[in-house]
Amino acid sequence: MVSQQMQNHLLALREKCSKEVSCIMKEKVPASIENLLAIDTLKETTSACVSVTTKMCKDRVKQWMITQLNTNIFAKEFNVTTQKFLDQNNQQLVDKPVFALPPGGKSKTHNEDCKSAANILERIRVVSVDILESAKDVNGDSLKILLQEAAETLNNRCDVSDSIASCICTSLVDLALLLIVYRSDIMPQDNMMQLFMAVWKCYYTNTDNLFKNFLCQRNVMLIAQGCNDKEIWSNFARFAAILVKENIVSCSNFETQCTGFYKKEWDQVTLSNVSLFLKKFVEYHKMLGGDPSKFALLLEFLSEYCEDL
């Protein structure tokens, strides 16, 4: 039934295309031929040129309709459009986390001994301020305890809404970036990344959404504040490679952000830094056992923007 309707609509579309093309050629072809030919050209010659050109145009249009207006391409385009529509609707449903809790809480289990979400958020805020004001005083062990308790809170308390969980996860993304810039020695510590990722996996939607602005202007400017630029960008690349390896950030999402970065105007220093970041990312990605062929488009951009690649 659907196939028959598709065929009928395609036939109707082809007829409309043929009529529209005929109307366009009736006006455009004679005028174009007259402008191209010499003034003293015989009318018979002009008429013959118009006829030949019209026939050639019709043949080309007919070939195009055969290759482009067929059921296979129509079905493919229809499926793609439908999927985009569904994705947009789903995205609209999950764009904003729900603040209110369902009756009885988010889950049946509730551990009152776990720290409250408010306590976790306040401690994340305090640590972030400490990093900015006196980074050398930040202790890695106390940070591990905070991350462990954050994961326990998100997993074992029924009074944590999606909105609060989102705040905790996004706050920890910012905290991780601050550590990369101001305390790069803490992130490589044993189990530190795993503790961060354990919390991020509690994000109310796919973690790809949590890192959808991973390479945004704000983050790039933050990383650029590091004293040792090359080391900081290298650590940032290692951080990104681990996220991709653990599927916290998908390959397609990361590649889209990286290639999209070059579509904006940046100063030469920033371009050099980000190009270094991308090269280091590919190196770390290979070291972690990743398949570099997944980033073919990214490598193409690197070859264009990095002279020594």
Side-chain angles (χ1 to χ4, degrees):
M1 183 66 179
V2 175
S3 178
Q4 185 60 45
Q5 288 182 345
M6 188 188 305
Q7 191 67 40
N8 293 338
H9 285 300
L10 281 174
L11 289 174
L13 180 59
R14 287 176 181 175
E15 291 178 2
K16 288 183 179 180
C17 287
S18 298
K19 290 179 181 179
E20 187 66 24
V21 168
S22 297
C23 292
I24 294 173
M25 287 191 296
K26 188 176 181 180
E27 296 179 3
K28 299 289 185 180
V29 172
S32 300
I33 293 297
E34 288 180 5
N35 291 331
L36 291 171
L37 294 177
I39 298 176
D40 57 349
T41 303
L42 296 175
K43 290 184 178 180
E44 292 79 2
T45 303
T46 302
S47 178
C49 290
V50 169
S51 298
V52 172
T53 304
T54 302
K55 184 177 183 303
M56 291 175 63
C57 289
K58 286 183 177 179
D59 290 341
R60 292 292 297 273
V61 171
K62 185 177 180 180
Q63 291 175 5
W64 179 85
M65 286 194 293
I66 291 173
T67 57
Q68 300 298 323
L69 300 182
N70 58 62
T71 53
N72 291 334
I73 292 181
F74 184 85
K76 181 179 178 181
E77 292 295 329
F78 179 80
N79 290 334
V80 170
T81 304
T82 304
Q83 189 60 48
K84 285 183 179 179
F85 177 75
L86 293 174
D87 290 343
Q88 288 175 356
N89 285 345
N90 292 335
Q91 186 67 26
Q92 290 174 358
L93 292 174
V94 300
D95 263 350
K96 293 184 178 181
V98 179
F99 182 79
L101 285 167
K106 189 176 179 181
S107 62
K108 294 181 180 180
T109 59
H110 177 71
N111 187 351
E112 191 68 31
D113 294 331
C114 295
K115 301 294 183 181
S116 68
N119 177 278
I120 297 297
L121 280 170
E122 175 62 18
R123 288 162 64 190
I124 294 173
R125 185 191 68 80
V126 170
V127 174
S128 299
V129 172
D130 289 344
I131 293 174
L132 292 171
E133 293 183 348
S134 182
K136 63 181 180 180
D137 296 331
V138 176
N139 183 273
D141 292 334
S142 61
L143 182 58
K144 288 181 180 180
I145 294 173
L146 170 59
L147 294 172
Q148 289 171 348
E149 293 180 347
E152 291 172 358
T153 296
L154 294 176
N155 287 312
N156 299 320
R157 289 188 68 105
C158 69
D159 58 354
V160 181
S161 66
D162 289 343
S163 179
I164 300 300
S166 174
C167 288
I168 292 175
C169 291
T170 52
S171 297
L172 286 178
V173 172
D174 292 339
L175 178 59
L177 293 176
L178 289 174
L179 288 172
I180 290 172
V181 176
Y182 298 105
R183 283 298 304 272
S184 57
D185 60 307
I186 289 181
M187 288 302 287
Q189 290 183 10
D190 292 341
N191 210 33
M192 185 64 74
M193 274 296 295
Q194 283 69 24
L195 291 172
F196 269 103
M197 290 187 291
V199 180
W200 291 331
K201 288 177 181 178
C202 298
Y203 192 60
Y204 74 102
T205 64
N206 191 297
T207 51
D208 247 358
N209 294 324
L210 179 61
F211 289 92
K212 63 183 179 181
N213 296 319
F214 182 73
L215 204 61
C216 65
Q217 183 176 4
R218 167 183 172 272
N219 291 348
V220 170
M221 294 298 103
L222 174 62
I223 300 299
Q225 293 178 15
C227 297
N228 190 337
D229 284 348
K230 290 186 177 180
E231 182 181 352
I232 299 299
W233 282 103
S234 179
N235 291 334
F236 188 42
R238 180 180 178 275
F239 176 68
I242 294 174
L243 293 178
V244 171
K245 179 181 182 295
E246 298 296 332
N247 292 321
I248 300 295
V249 179
S250 66
C251 294
S252 58
N253 179 19
F254 181 76
E255 186 177 35
T256 299
Q257 290 192 52
C258 291
T259 52
F261 173 86
Y262 287 100
K263 295 179 181 179
K264 300 178 183 179
E265 292 187 5
W266 301 93
D267 59 86
Q268 188 58 46
V269 175
T270 302
L271 283 174
S272 299
N273 287 335
V274 175
S275 296
L276 172 65
F277 159 74
L278 295 178
K279 288 196 293 183
K280 289 293 184 181
F281 167 81
V282 174
E283 292 178 10
Y284 284 121
H285 183 66
K286 291 179 181 178
M287 289 172 56
L288 294 172
D291 182 6
S293 64
K294 292 182 178 180
F295 297 99
L297 188 58
L298 175 57
L299 291 172
E300 181 181 340
F301 267 78
L302 282 172
S303 63
E304 182 178 348
Y305 283 92
C306 304
E307 297 178 358
D308 57 341
L309 184 67

